[in-house]
Amino acid sequence: MSELAAPDLAAAADVIELASGIVGKAIRHVAANGGPDAHQVVAYDLAHAAAQVEAARALLDYGAKGDVEARLTCAFTAEMAHDLITRLAGREKYWGIEIAPMKAAHPFLERFRTPEFLASLADQPGPRHLDDDMEMVADTFRSFAEKVIKPHAEHVHRTNADVPEEIVQGLAEMGAFGLSVPAEYGGFSEGGDSEYIGMVVATEELSRGSLGIGGSLITRPEILTRALVKGGTEAQKQAWLPRLAVAEVMPGVAVTEPDYGSDVAGIKVTATPAPGPDGEPGYVINGVKTWCTFGGRADVLALLARTDPDRSKTHRGLSLFIVPKPRGNGHGFEFTQDSATVGGTTGKMEGRAIDTIGYRGMHSYEVALENWWVPAENLIGEADGVGKGFFFQMAGFENGRLQTAARAVGVMQAAYEAALDYAHNRVVFGSPIVDYQLTQVKLGRMAMLIQAGRQFSYSVARQMAKGEGAMEAAMVKAYVCKAAEWVTREAMQIHGGMGYAEEFNVSRLFVDARVLSIFEGADETLCLKVIARRMIEATQA
């Protein structure tokens, strides 16, 4: 085996700046020639390229903390440069770039893309470098995932069962649902980096146990909490936040509709002013929501509805409601409002679970509402919140994107650990498969991608703690979730035929990972409507 190259962070920084300059030039070219909608393929590739550049940049500080860290950083930077070259090749004119713009990075790639260099990282995932408080958070949630979540994970997945109440109540006792609830309302949030990084760390560890019954549970309360913090009245915060913090109230999120997924501004479900049974001011809600995760078990739905019938107002005609409902069990429910009769018609709510190949346990529902009445005090912001629901909802979704990246890291970590363990124990042609270079390169690339995703998530968490990082949250979600598909696929491949069997949990990890690029903002929409557009806006500022 040839001698391994010594890490070179200065050279890595130069490659990152070179790549960043190319992406910036291409963005300006797209902006001057019709924008992302006119050049969707290029804009999509540019968004992913920019995300990968920022992931590499986030690794630079990490790389300075030790030899393994530096090697991971150089390996990922070389991967980023290679992927950028691949995206560019043959499309230079569409990017407004000369041929071979990354030529100066070639010596770096020759040093850090060798099979030997990647193979050396197979069992070198690198430390996370969290402070003592965050290490305690990680240890606490990892222990819960190991002892409580993992024993249920395979059964829930194979039988499409519900999230066990033991997990919901256990997380409530740990304070997991109050991580983003301000301390004055009974939660643990006091602002600063620790709030966001703590959420990322907890989400990763829970997702490592199971995406479907662990990693996503704290996201539903998180989304409603941030919407209330953003736009709720003081009375609403006092009424709802303490209950969210202890899981007295567990929410589902009802935004997507059958004809309107990522195009939230076009939704049709209506909320029309109507008095309640005692003349109390309120609204009746009519229409159908879909992909309402945890909608059956939930006590309330955070529901986005059109309060202005003028559809030309798009997102400016939407308001966000807290819609109480009874708890349901199983895969369907049907509820009526016995005391809330409006216009002689009793309110109805019906839901059916949508069967999915993975991400089982919480269940996503299609929910139909007919004259379902809610009091006016449940409109977030009350009178001042009319027409502002889209913005309140986005306040929750932006952090939801960061959490989804953390979920992806947790799923990848579980897949890597399973693959590494299997590779040490599976003997083929007289040797454990971990001894073969091809296996080592696969494992080394896994370790590199996981640490890059993790450190990028930490970086975005720090930005969001300062009220920044909305575009970066979309970037980390887009890039890391795509990486999770490759990591779980190759972990499955390392298992060979047994990877395709339900005897090993890696098959569950593979189908779970596939949903990550779809929910919390579909990959294509994030790239075209959020990342590319905001990069263009930044160049024009």
Side-chain angles (χ1 to χ4, degrees):
M1 180 168 60
S2 60
E3 185 176 345
L4 296 179
D8 189 341
L9 294 180
D14 288 342
V15 171
I16 291 167
E17 289 310 309
L18 175 62
S20 181
I22 290 169
V23 170
K25 185 176 180 180
I27 283 292
R28 291 189 291 274
H29 178 77
V30 169
N33 289 275
D37 288 335
H39 302 281
Q40 291 187 350
V41 172
V42 172
Y44 177 81
D45 280 349
L46 269 172
H48 268 288
Q52 202 170 359
V53 168
E54 291 309 309
R57 197 190 307 278
L59 272 178
L60 284 174
D61 286 343
Y62 176 79
K65 295 175 180 177
D67 178 69
V68 171
E69 296 90 332
R71 289 193 287 135
L72 288 164
T73 300
C74 288
F76 184 81
T77 301
E79 166 112 347
M80 175 273 293
H82 167 266
D83 288 355
L84 179 56
I85 292 168
T86 302
R87 289 186 172 101
L88 266 169
R91 292 179 176 172
E92 290 87 353
K93 70 176 182 180
Y94 296 99
W95 287 51
I97 301 292
E98 70 280 4
I99 292 175
M102 292 289 290
K103 185 176 181 180
H106 194 76
F108 185 86
L109 270 67
E110 285 184 321
R111 295 165 63 192
F112 299 111
R113 286 204 77 240
T114 67
E116 292 83 4
F117 192 83
L118 279 172
S120 74
L121 301 173
D123 60 352
Q124 300 290 318
R128 290 177 296 193
H129 288 296
L130 294 168
D131 62 28
D132 291 343
D133 287 344
M134 288 300 107
E135 284 290 358
M136 186 179 300
V137 171
D139 290 344
T140 300
F141 281 93
R142 186 184 307 115
S143 176
F144 183 82
E146 288 287 338
K147 296 176 181 177
V148 182
I149 293 176
K150 274 191 175 182
H152 293 286
E154 287 302 306
H155 172 76
V156 169
H157 173 68
R158 295 181 195 181
T159 64
N160 204 17
D162 297 332
V163 176
E165 283 299 315
E166 173 189 1
I167 294 175
V168 177
Q169 296 309 314
L171 287 173
E173 291 169 9
M174 293 169 65
F177 301 117
L179 292 174
S180 297
V181 174
E184 60 265 35
Y185 300 105
F188 299 97
S189 171
E190 296 181 347
D193 290 359
S194 60
E195 174 187 333
Y196 284 85
I197 291 179
M199 181 65 73
V200 166
V201 170
T203 300
E204 177 187 335
E205 293 299 341
L206 293 173
S207 301
R208 181 173 161 271
S210 167
L211 179 67
I213 62 173
S216 289
L217 264 177
I218 59 178
T219 305
R220 301 321 109 182
E222 163 84 4
I223 290 172
L224 180 53
T225 291
R226 291 200 177 274
L228 280 164
V229 170
K230 175 79 172 178
T233 65
E234 182 59 29
Q236 288 173 334
K237 293 174 185 177
Q238 294 284 355
W240 294 105
L241 290 176
R243 299 167 70 192
L244 288 168
V246 298
E248 179 185 337
V249 169
M250 285 293 288
V253 177
V255 174
T256 302
E257 296 181 8
D259 295 324
Y260 296 93
S262 297
D263 182 15
V264 174
I267 66 173
K268 295 180 178 178
V269 168
T270 60
T272 306
D278 299 319
E280 181 183 357
Y283 293 80
V284 288
I285 299 175
N286 284 279
V288 179
K289 293 290 185 180
T290 193
W291 296 112
C292 180
T293 303
F294 213 47
R297 163 63 174 77
D299 303 290
V300 298
L301 302 178
L303 186 144
L304 194 62
R306 184 165 297 285
T307 46
D308 192 321
D310 183 356
R311 294 180 58 80
S312 69
K313 292 186 178 179
T314 62
H315 64 275
R316 294 182 300 276
L318 305 177
S319 303
L320 186 60
F321 292 84
I322 300 174
V323 179
K325 58 173 285 295
R327 289 184 183 179
N329 295 312
H331 292 195
F333 59 79
E334 183 175 346
F335 304 128
T336 58
Q337 290 179 313
D338 295 333
S339 61
T341 302
V342 180
T345 303
T346 299
K348 297 179 181 179
M349 181 188 294
E350 297 182 20
R352 66 170 187 87
I354 302 168
D355 287 334
T356 55
I357 61 172
Y359 190 50
R360 294 172 173 170
M362 299 187 73
H363 306 306
S364 291
Y365 286 79
E366 183 169 281
V367 179
L369 302 101
E370 181 182 343
N371 292 328
W372 191 266
W373 185 82
V374 294
E377 65 184 19
N378 284 32
L379 190 163
I380 293 182
E382 296 195 40
D384 289 339
V386 174
K388 298 178 182 177
F390 176 84
F391 304 102
F392 300 157
Q393 189 71 69
M394 290 305 108
F397 277 175
E398 285 180 354
N399 194 53
R401 292 167 185 162
L402 173 60
Q403 279 187 279
T404 301
R407 290 185 234 173
V409 172
V411 172
M412 286 193 285
Q413 184 67 35
Y416 168 74
E417 290 171 1
L420 184 62
D421 179 71
Y422 190 84
H424 275 288
N425 290 288
R426 173 63 169 161
V427 175
V428 176
F429 301 120
S431 297
I433 61 174
V434 77
D435 290 347
Y436 295 106
Q437 186 189 63
L438 184 55
T439 305
Q440 292 171 3
V441 168
K442 289 175 185 283
L443 290 167
R445 188 166 184 255
M446 288 180 197
M448 172 190 75
L449 292 175
I450 293 165
Q451 196 61 253
R454 180 180 290 125
Q455 297 301 322
F456 192 12
S457 297
Y458 294 169
S459 175
V460 174
R462 295 184 186 100
Q463 292 178 64
M464 295 192 77
K466 299 175 184 176
E468 303 168 355
M471 180 176 69
E472 289 79 5
M475 283 181 168
V476 71
K477 195 270 184 188
Y479 180 71
V480 179
C481 293
K482 290 282 280 188
E485 293 181 34
W486 184 88
V487 169
T488 55
R489 179 196 181 280
E490 290 305 311
M492 194 176 183
Q493 187 72 22
I494 285 172
H495 281 72
M498 297 312 297
Y500 201 64
E502 289 193 331
E503 183 176 337
F504 288 82
N505 71 347
V506 72
S507 61
R508 167 174 56 85
L509 299 174
F510 176 67
V511 293
D512 279 356
R514 188 61 195 87
V515 77
L516 293 166
S517 289
I518 297 173
F519 68 7
E520 303 290 353
D523 186 50
E524 294 78 8
T525 300
L526 279 187
C527 287
L528 298 180
K529 303 296 186 182
V530 180
I531 300 172
R533 283 188 176 181
R534 292 191 180 185
M535 287 195 296
I536 287 173
E537 290 169 2
T539 65
Q540 297 171 340

